[in-house]
Amino acid sequence: MIAITGATGALNGRTVEHLLRIVPPSELTIIARDPERAERFARAGATVRAGRYEDPAGLREALRGADRVLLVSSNDPGGDTVALHRNAIEAAVAAGVGRVLYTSHQGAHTDSPFPPARVHAATEAILAGSGTSWTALRNGFYAHSLDWLLGSWRSNDRIAVPADGPVSWTSRDDVAEAAAVLLGGAVIPDGPVTLTAPAAPRFTDLTGPASEVAGRPIGVEIVDAEHWVRLAVEAGQPEMRARFSLTIFQAAERGFFAGTDPLLGTLLGREPLSVREALALPDRFMT
């Protein structure tokens, strides 16, 4: 039995959709805060149970009978995400789940300027000390983020960034499919697993594919960090989100998102989506 949390969200929801193509629905248990939102999976034949990281006892019961579980990382901005992840991991261990998979992130590190990377590093440490078999899916930085990180280049012909660095921009759809392949396979690697696109262009390298997509020259400028925050706020971003986004550039500048790995393409049996394709299909990636 394969259990999936967060299946009403974009990432693990797509993973379930892919799993339904490769395993019988009777082998899937969908755990959702609001089971009604997972009704489409129930109609497909999967079991749907209520479960929340805030309620480890209830989550333990929801996980009963599962051999493998994919835990989505919490995105609760007001919660103690590391504590929530600990609850989920301990519930899985108590329920007798044989392997815990967790949606981590490339660049998971305690020293990263990007706050989620520190959460992922702490969660991986909990997994390592859990006594169970575990796999951390270190997904590359999601390519759909480019549409808001790069600002209004589509209209003003200029990309403005506060720092430069390599990032292996990766399709969320691709990593969702790869997670399904791993969950449905006979053997799952232990420990951290890197799932990225094959290239890691710098922000300044994006002018080429952006110009191809726009059909006209797109320039790039590295601006002062505070000036960039002001530009983002003027473009409609809340200041808190703009300052959060700033840490992405700072982490990229220090090389935390630079690594690439061929495993994603191997699991997919095809080339992962390129950064040019991501820039050409922004509406697809915002869903």
Side-chain angles (χ1 to χ4, degrees):
M1 180 74 71
I2 300 170
I4 310 286
T5 71
T8 57
L11 176 62
N12 278 11
R14 303 258 173 99
T15 296
V16 174
E17 291 170 1
H18 288 294
L19 274 168
L20 285 168
R21 300 185 183 108
I22 60 177
V23 302
S26 59
E27 294 184 11
L28 299 181
T29 296
I30 309 306
I31 299 173
R33 298 175 65 89
D34 180 1
E36 290 186 2
R37 294 183 58 198
E39 180 60 27
R40 63 191 174 109
F41 298 131
R43 289 195 301 270
T47 298
V48 176
R49 297 173 180 168
R52 300 180 298 118
Y53 291 0
E54 297 91 338
D55 176 16
L59 184 60
R60 182 178 65 245
E61 290 305 312
L63 289 169
R64 291 289 182 194
D67 303 303
R68 300 172 177 179
V69 60
L70 176 61
L71 300 176
V72 72
S73 56
S74 172
N75 62 358
D76 182 355
D80 183 341
T81 50
V82 174
L84 292 173
H85 294 163
R86 183 185 298 276
N87 286 348
I89 293 165
E90 291 179 350
V93 173
V97 176
R99 177 172 294 274
V100 176
L101 293 88
Y102 166 73
T103 60
S104 187
H105 196 283
Q106 181 190 23
H109 199 285
T110 56
D111 292 335
S112 176
F114 183 48
R118 301 194 295 271
V119 169
H120 291 310
T123 303
E124 290 186 10
I126 295 169
L127 283 165
S130 68
T132 194
S133 299
W134 64 279
T135 305
L137 305 179
R138 289 187 173 178
N139 297 335
F141 215 103
Y142 298 144
H144 67 268
S145 305
L146 281 167
D147 216 44
W148 49 272
L149 283 174
L150 300 186
S152 54
W153 62 272
R154 298 175 191 276
S155 58
N156 66 17
D157 298 342
R158 182 181 69 115
I159 294 171
V161 294
D164 194 19
V167 183
S168 55
W169 300 106
T170 305
S171 162
R172 183 170 58 192
D173 285 345
D174 283 350
V175 295
E177 182 177 348
V181 173
L182 285 170
L183 282 163
V187 178
I188 302 177
D190 290 318
V193 172
T194 300
L195 300 174
T196 68
R202 302 177 72 86
F203 285 99
T204 49
D205 295 330
L206 298 179
T207 56
S211 297
E212 291 179 16
V213 169
R216 61 187 186 278
I218 301 295
V220 63
E221 180 182 7
I222 300 177
V223 301
D224 174 77
E226 289 302 315
H227 178 60
W228 184 86
V229 169
R230 287 196 299 273
L231 290 174
V233 171
E234 289 170 4
Q237 280 196 47
E239 183 174 351
M240 183 177 296
R241 179 176 178 180
R243 293 197 177 279
F244 173 82
S245 300
L246 179 63
T247 68
I248 298 172
F249 292 97
Q250 292 169 336
E253 186 176 40
R254 291 176 55 183
F256 283 104
F257 308 134
T260 62
D261 194 291
L263 178 60
L264 178 58
T266 300
L267 292 171
L268 297 176
R270 56 176 169 77
E271 280 294 303
L273 202 80
S274 70
V275 70
R276 186 201 181 284
E277 291 168 320
L279 290 172
L281 297 170
D283 290 339
R284 173 184 171 186
F285 287 92
M286 293 306 289
T287 58

